Amino acid sequence: MKITLKDGSVKEYNEAKSIIDIAKDISEGLARVACAGEVNGEMADLRTVIANDCELNIITATDPKALYVIRHTASHVLAEAVKRLFPNAKVTIGPAIDDGFYYDFDSEPFSREDLDKIEAEMKKIIKEGHEITRFTLPRAEAIAFMEEKGESFKVELIQDLPEDAEISFYDQGGFVDLCAGPHLMSTKGVKAFKLTSSSMAYWRGDSSKARLQRIYGTAYNKKEELAEHLERMEDAKRRDHNRLGREMELFTTVDVIGQGLPLFTPKGTKMIMKLQRWIEDLEDNEWGYMRTRTPLMAKSDLYKISGHWDHYKEGMFVFGDEEKDKEVYALRPMTCPFQYYVYKNSQKSYRDLPCRYSETSTLFRNEDSGEMHGLTRVRQFTISEGHLIVRPDQMVEEFKGCLALAKYCLETLGVNSDVTYHLSKWDPENKEKYIGEPDVWNQTEQHIRDILTELGIPFVEDVGEAAFYGPKVDINAKNVYGKEDTMITIQWDALLAEQFDMYYIDQNGDKVRPYIIHRTSMGCYERTLAWLIEKYAGKFPTWLCAEQVRVLPISDKYEEYAQKVCRELKKAGIDATVDSRSEKIGFKIREARLDKLPYMLVVGQQEEADNTVSVRSRFAGDEGVKPIDSFIADITEEIRNKTIREEMQAEENK
RNA sequence: GCUUCCAUAGCGCAGUUGGUAGCGCAACUGAUUCGUAAUCAGUAGGUCGAGGGUUCGAGUCCCUUUGGAAGCUCCA
């Protein structure tokens, strides 16, 4: 057989050979650093025996793909350590994940001290340097083997595999675990790891099943890489909006007001208002939207028509008791039906469509108490909501427009490169969660697929993520810890117009059902602000800053001039203040820097005499002396264009 | 909702085996009037998240409860 290696060279063998033996044949050194193989592009265990011609890439420890194998092996070492220290714990599953690995155990909860002990035991196991070997058993024998060991979760896993499957196990010095692999050749290969946390997880992610204890860890090829990773996590903590946003006094929460109900301070409010005014003007003046203003609550009847009462009642704040009260009201969890009735207010001609309605809409959702997080998961939020009532023939064009608007908003905020686009589809296996016919679902999904492809937007498809009335495009972003949240959603709805008996009159004088697009341009303001805090670590583009300029008089003598400068800035629509405390200039600059202000204007004798300001910015440090008018012209331009200036390096946290 | 961890002055923290409540920064007052990241001195501030229990005595031990963090599930 012929083995084609990565560099194009070809090795020929007369008999089948394992990847590790091929590596040894190439060089002993290569065999020592080999972690896995890639056979015709597929990850494979080093022990995999190759019998046919193929392309083989031997993955060494420095290859990023090797991390997956190192971490997977680390999770087995973790399992062995736990079994040694807690013999009653049962093992379940332990995969490698994006930035580490975890292993779920059926056990008593682990404390941090437990984790430290487990970590020490793992180091011991690694030092012992057990060779890792692989063997397989027929299904029935595999079940018996795991039953004998009392590993009931493993038994369940094997039972789900096909009857004729050969079940693979890995043995590291006597500790045997059911596993598909791949793994390193020895526990010695795990050189740098750390257990980071423990938490609860459900068996197979199902809250009705057993509660397991999950231990998270991370592993790298080198100690330095691990240290870098831990440093990145520290940096993430510093950027965390829930911490930084409170520290910068953008928002706060109060126990007696309630969970998931943040209060915005004047500073945070100013930022949100800047976003809101931008979006409203943009939609109304440039994208043809009409603004609506509709009630924050309605009778339950409304939600019964929309289907939300059946599909979403648990998530709503409802007043009154359906049994006792004549009328039950609920705070709105969405804006859809309200805007439909705006549409229905008058009879529409095909010439009136599309009707693009938009509203800065406050919504209420009764999240479970454990779901709340900072500004990203709250019980009351305000969204740049909108519904487009369109003719079926306009649907594709309008859907494209919504995507283009969302993309424009993301680009303006400088975050478009940080998002992923998802086509969220229904789940044909779970029909009762959705309304409408399978054909309609498949067709609309194909339309959206075509639109995304045509716009050249890369996307992934997610089954079972659709709204109950239609498929959608979700635009997701990761937070500092790598967890994804939906920022923007654009939904295709060919069904709800029927429920609300919405129609327009076509050219022939007939009533026709319109289609509806549910969409947001910039998502909800709370979540967007959270995202911006983390993206910019609090150092926002000038146009978004609540305080854009601070005038710093050298001493009390120049306060009057400072006030005059400040008045002129404010007259030009710039958010400016004066720091008139009797402090040294160095101290004032320090504080302005810690407040992450974009511009500081130092004024003293010289500036007052010349009617100038001495400009110091977050972006370039000392920018020199400028006439007041020219500074105002420059910053006005920067604000108008929503320029994102590059930050100055270093000088942090002195 | 579930599991673990956490809660001490505005913020960040210390507080030994149970024995008088502490530090840094911020705040306030006074002095200082200063040229690009911290001027000096002084003052005030706490039912130790809340409720109950054990004890001669609880910030510390036990129970209940509220809030926060991470994770699971769910979602914008």
Side-chain angles (χ1 to χ4, degrees), chain A residues 5-6 19 22-24 26 30 34-38 46 56-60 63:
Chain A
L5 297 170
K6 198 169 83 177
I19 297 177
I22 296 171
K24 275 182 192 153
I26 297 168
L30 177 64
C35 290
E38 209 171 18
L46 287 171
L56 174 66
N57 175 22
I58 292 175
I59 292 170
T60 60
D63 190 316

PDB file of all heavy atoms in Angstrom, chain A residues 5-6 19 22-24 26 30 34-38 46 56-60 63:
ATOM      1  N   LEU A   5       2.441  11.235   2.460  1.00  0.00           N
ATOM      2  CA  LEU A   5       2.590  12.097   3.643  1.00  0.00           C
ATOM      3  C   LEU A   5       2.307  13.555   3.285  1.00  0.00           C
ATOM      4  O   LEU A   5       2.159  13.913   2.122  1.00  0.00           O
ATOM      5  CB  LEU A   5       4.002  11.947   4.212  1.00  0.00           C
ATOM      6  CG  LEU A   5       4.312  10.533   4.705  1.00  0.00           C
ATOM      7  CD1 LEU A   5       5.790  10.375   5.019  1.00  0.00           C
ATOM      8  CD2 LEU A   5       3.466  10.187   5.935  1.00  0.00           C
ATOM      9  N   LYS A   6       2.266  14.384   4.354  1.00  0.00           N
ATOM     10  CA  LYS A   6       1.894  15.785   4.181  1.00  0.00           C
ATOM     11  C   LYS A   6       2.816  16.508   3.199  1.00  0.00           C
ATOM     12  O   LYS A   6       2.380  17.329   2.414  1.00  0.00           O
ATOM     13  CB  LYS A   6       1.923  16.481   5.547  1.00  0.00           C
ATOM     14  CG  LYS A   6       1.152  17.801   5.568  1.00  0.00           C
ATOM     15  CD  LYS A   6       0.981  18.320   6.982  1.00  0.00           C
ATOM     16  CE  LYS A   6       2.211  19.064   7.441  1.00  0.00           C
ATOM     17  NZ  LYS A   6       2.039  19.638   8.779  1.00  0.00           N
ATOM     18  N   ILE A  19      -0.392   3.732  12.664  1.00  0.00           N
ATOM     19  CA  ILE A  19       0.148   5.075  12.417  1.00  0.00           C
ATOM     20  C   ILE A  19       1.398   5.312  13.242  1.00  0.00           C
ATOM     21  O   ILE A  19       2.377   5.866  12.748  1.00  0.00           O
ATOM     22  CB  ILE A  19      -0.930   6.140  12.725  1.00  0.00           C
ATOM     23  CG1 ILE A  19      -2.123   5.965  11.778  1.00  0.00           C
ATOM     24  CG2 ILE A  19      -0.345   7.544  12.588  1.00  0.00           C
ATOM     25  CD1 ILE A  19      -3.273   6.912  12.033  1.00  0.00           C
ATOM     26  N   ILE A  22       4.291   3.733  11.618  1.00  0.00           N
ATOM     27  CA  ILE A  22       4.720   4.502  10.441  1.00  0.00           C
ATOM     28  C   ILE A  22       5.544   5.701  10.910  1.00  0.00           C
ATOM     29  O   ILE A  22       6.585   6.017  10.346  1.00  0.00           O
ATOM     30  CB  ILE A  22       3.496   4.964   9.610  1.00  0.00           C
ATOM     31  CG1 ILE A  22       2.762   3.736   9.047  1.00  0.00           C
ATOM     32  CG2 ILE A  22       3.927   5.906   8.489  1.00  0.00           C
ATOM     33  CD1 ILE A  22       1.424   4.036   8.401  1.00  0.00           C
ATOM     34  N   ALA A  23       5.077   6.333  11.989  1.00  0.00           N
ATOM     35  CA  ALA A  23       5.804   7.479  12.536  1.00  0.00           C
ATOM     36  C   ALA A  23       7.206   7.050  12.967  1.00  0.00           C
ATOM     37  O   ALA A  23       8.194   7.735  12.684  1.00  0.00           O
ATOM     38  CB  ALA A  23       5.038   8.066  13.717  1.00  0.00           C
ATOM     39  N   LYS A  24       7.280   5.899  13.632  1.00  0.00           N
ATOM     40  CA  LYS A  24       8.583   5.391  14.094  1.00  0.00           C
ATOM     41  C   LYS A  24       9.490   5.135  12.904  1.00  0.00           C
ATOM     42  O   LYS A  24      10.692   5.378  12.947  1.00  0.00           O
ATOM     43  CB  LYS A  24       8.397   4.084  14.869  1.00  0.00           C
ATOM     44  CG  LYS A  24       8.070   4.335  16.342  1.00  0.00           C
ATOM     45  CD  LYS A  24       7.944   3.014  17.099  1.00  0.00           C
ATOM     46  CE  LYS A  24       7.335   3.254  18.477  1.00  0.00           C
ATOM     47  NZ  LYS A  24       6.620   2.077  18.979  1.00  0.00           N
ATOM     48  N   ILE A  26       9.433   6.701  10.103  1.00  0.00           N
ATOM     49  CA  ILE A  26       9.925   7.973   9.563  1.00  0.00           C
ATOM     50  C   ILE A  26      11.062   8.464  10.444  1.00  0.00           C
ATOM     51  O   ILE A  26      12.146   8.757   9.969  1.00  0.00           O
ATOM     52  CB  ILE A  26       8.785   9.000   9.472  1.00  0.00           C
ATOM     53  CG1 ILE A  26       7.713   8.505   8.485  1.00  0.00           C
ATOM     54  CG2 ILE A  26       9.333  10.365   9.022  1.00  0.00           C
ATOM     55  CD1 ILE A  26       6.419   9.275   8.528  1.00  0.00           C
ATOM     56  N   LEU A  30       9.955  11.791  15.641  1.00  0.00           N
ATOM     57  CA  LEU A  30       8.570  12.083  15.247  1.00  0.00           C
ATOM     58  C   LEU A  30       7.614  11.254  16.095  1.00  0.00           C
ATOM     59  O   LEU A  30       6.607  11.754  16.579  1.00  0.00           O
ATOM     60  CB  LEU A  30       8.371  11.786  13.756  1.00  0.00           C
ATOM     61  CG  LEU A  30       6.944  11.969  13.227  1.00  0.00           C
ATOM     62  CD1 LEU A  30       6.531  13.438  13.343  1.00  0.00           C
ATOM     63  CD2 LEU A  30       6.822  11.511  11.781  1.00  0.00           C
ATOM     64  N   ALA A  34       4.418  12.583  18.322  1.00  0.00           N
ATOM     65  CA  ALA A  34       3.148  12.344  17.639  1.00  0.00           C
ATOM     66  C   ALA A  34       2.009  12.264  18.651  1.00  0.00           C
ATOM     67  O   ALA A  34       2.159  11.696  19.733  1.00  0.00           O
ATOM     68  CB  ALA A  34       3.228  11.051  16.843  1.00  0.00           C
ATOM     69  N   CYS A  35       0.867  12.888  18.321  1.00  0.00           N
ATOM     70  CA  CYS A  35      -0.306  12.846  19.202  1.00  0.00           C
ATOM     71  C   CYS A  35      -1.464  12.108  18.543  1.00  0.00           C
ATOM     72  O   CYS A  35      -2.297  11.532  19.222  1.00  0.00           O
ATOM     73  CB  CYS A  35      -0.766  14.258  19.533  1.00  0.00           C
ATOM     74  SG  CYS A  35       0.363  15.124  20.614  1.00  0.00           S
ATOM     75  N   ALA A  36      -1.545  12.209  17.228  1.00  0.00           N
ATOM     76  CA  ALA A  36      -2.642  11.575  16.513  1.00  0.00           C
ATOM     77  C   ALA A  36      -2.297  11.578  15.034  1.00  0.00           C
ATOM     78  O   ALA A  36      -1.276  12.128  14.625  1.00  0.00           O
ATOM     79  CB  ALA A  36      -3.943  12.339  16.739  1.00  0.00           C
ATOM     80  N   GLY A  37      -3.144  10.946  14.262  1.00  0.00           N
ATOM     81  CA  GLY A  37      -2.956  10.970  12.826  1.00  0.00           C
ATOM     82  C   GLY A  37      -4.169  11.564  12.159  1.00  0.00           C
ATOM     83  O   GLY A  37      -5.223  11.712  12.785  1.00  0.00           O
ATOM     84  N   GLU A  38      -3.997  11.953  10.907  1.00  0.00           N
ATOM     85  CA  GLU A  38      -5.118  12.438  10.125  1.00  0.00           C
ATOM     86  C   GLU A  38      -5.105  11.619   8.850  1.00  0.00           C
ATOM     87  O   GLU A  38      -4.188  11.757   8.034  1.00  0.00           O
ATOM     88  CB  GLU A  38      -4.934  13.922   9.835  1.00  0.00           C
ATOM     89  CG  GLU A  38      -6.241  14.669   9.675  1.00  0.00           C
ATOM     90  CD  GLU A  38      -5.996  16.179   9.608  1.00  0.00           C
ATOM     91  OE1 GLU A  38      -4.864  16.599   9.354  1.00  0.00           O
ATOM     92  OE2 GLU A  38      -6.956  16.911   9.794  1.00  0.00           O
ATOM     93  N   LEU A  46      -3.429   7.044  17.041  1.00  0.00           N
ATOM     94  CA  LEU A  46      -2.111   6.596  16.583  1.00  0.00           C
ATOM     95  C   LEU A  46      -2.058   5.087  16.397  1.00  0.00           C
ATOM     96  O   LEU A  46      -1.214   4.557  15.683  1.00  0.00           O
ATOM     97  CB  LEU A  46      -1.039   7.022  17.593  1.00  0.00           C
ATOM     98  CG  LEU A  46      -0.703   8.513  17.599  1.00  0.00           C
ATOM     99  CD1 LEU A  46       0.191   8.823  18.786  1.00  0.00           C
ATOM    100  CD2 LEU A  46      -0.035   8.929  16.298  1.00  0.00           C
ATOM    101  N   LEU A  56      -1.730  10.560   4.713  1.00  0.00           N
ATOM    102  CA  LEU A  56      -1.557  10.543   6.166  1.00  0.00           C
ATOM    103  C   LEU A  56      -0.807  11.791   6.629  1.00  0.00           C
ATOM    104  O   LEU A  56       0.236  12.148   6.086  1.00  0.00           O
ATOM    105  CB  LEU A  56      -0.772   9.287   6.573  1.00  0.00           C
ATOM    106  CG  LEU A  56      -0.386   9.216   8.060  1.00  0.00           C
ATOM    107  CD1 LEU A  56      -1.616   9.089   8.934  1.00  0.00           C
ATOM    108  CD2 LEU A  56       0.568   8.055   8.292  1.00  0.00           C
ATOM    109  N   ASN A  57      -1.379  12.452   7.623  1.00  0.00           N
ATOM    110  CA  ASN A  57      -0.717  13.602   8.234  1.00  0.00           C
ATOM    111  C   ASN A  57      -0.518  13.245   9.696  1.00  0.00           C
ATOM    112  O   ASN A  57      -1.488  12.968  10.405  1.00  0.00           O
ATOM    113  CB  ASN A  57      -1.608  14.842   8.071  1.00  0.00           C
ATOM    114  CG  ASN A  57      -1.030  16.044   8.798  1.00  0.00           C
ATOM    115  OD1 ASN A  57       0.171  16.090   9.075  1.00  0.00           O
ATOM    116  ND2 ASN A  57      -1.893  16.997   9.105  1.00  0.00           N
ATOM    117  N   ILE A  58       0.721  13.209  10.129  1.00  0.00           N
ATOM    118  CA  ILE A  58       0.969  12.885  11.530  1.00  0.00           C
ATOM    119  C   ILE A  58       0.942  14.171  12.343  1.00  0.00           C
ATOM    120  O   ILE A  58       1.707  15.107  12.069  1.00  0.00           O
ATOM    121  CB  ILE A  58       2.287  12.113  11.693  1.00  0.00           C
ATOM    122  CG1 ILE A  58       2.082  10.738  11.046  1.00  0.00           C
ATOM    123  CG2 ILE A  58       2.652  11.973  13.169  1.00  0.00           C
ATOM    124  CD1 ILE A  58       3.301   9.892  11.010  1.00  0.00           C
ATOM    125  N   ILE A  59       0.027  14.215  13.277  1.00  0.00           N
ATOM    126  CA  ILE A  59      -0.167  15.439  14.055  1.00  0.00           C
ATOM    127  C   ILE A  59       0.739  15.410  15.270  1.00  0.00           C
ATOM    128  O   ILE A  59       0.665  14.503  16.093  1.00  0.00           O
ATOM    129  CB  ILE A  59      -1.650  15.575  14.455  1.00  0.00           C
ATOM    130  CG1 ILE A  59      -2.487  15.830  13.192  1.00  0.00           C
ATOM    131  CG2 ILE A  59      -1.827  16.706  15.458  1.00  0.00           C
ATOM    132  CD1 ILE A  59      -3.956  15.743  13.424  1.00  0.00           C
ATOM    133  N   THR A  60       1.600  16.428  15.355  1.00  0.00           N
ATOM    134  CA  THR A  60       2.538  16.474  16.482  1.00  0.00           C
ATOM    135  C   THR A  60       2.020  17.445  17.530  1.00  0.00           C
ATOM    136  O   THR A  60       1.066  18.179  17.292  1.00  0.00           O
ATOM    137  CB  THR A  60       3.918  16.938  16.003  1.00  0.00           C
ATOM    138  OG1 THR A  60       3.763  18.243  15.432  1.00  0.00           O
ATOM    139  CG2 THR A  60       4.484  15.998  14.968  1.00  0.00           C
ATOM    140  N   ASP A  63       0.967  21.007  16.798  1.00  0.00           N
ATOM    141  CA  ASP A  63      -0.182  21.260  15.930  1.00  0.00           C
ATOM    142  C   ASP A  63      -1.409  21.580  16.795  1.00  0.00           C
ATOM    143  O   ASP A  63      -1.680  20.881  17.768  1.00  0.00           O
ATOM    144  CB  ASP A  63      -0.450  19.990  15.104  1.00  0.00           C
ATOM    145  CG  ASP A  63      -1.470  20.227  14.008  1.00  0.00           C
ATOM    146  OD1 ASP A  63      -2.487  20.868  14.289  1.00  0.00           O
ATOM    147  OD2 ASP A  63      -1.238  19.761  12.878  1.00  0.00           O
TER     148      ASP A  63
END
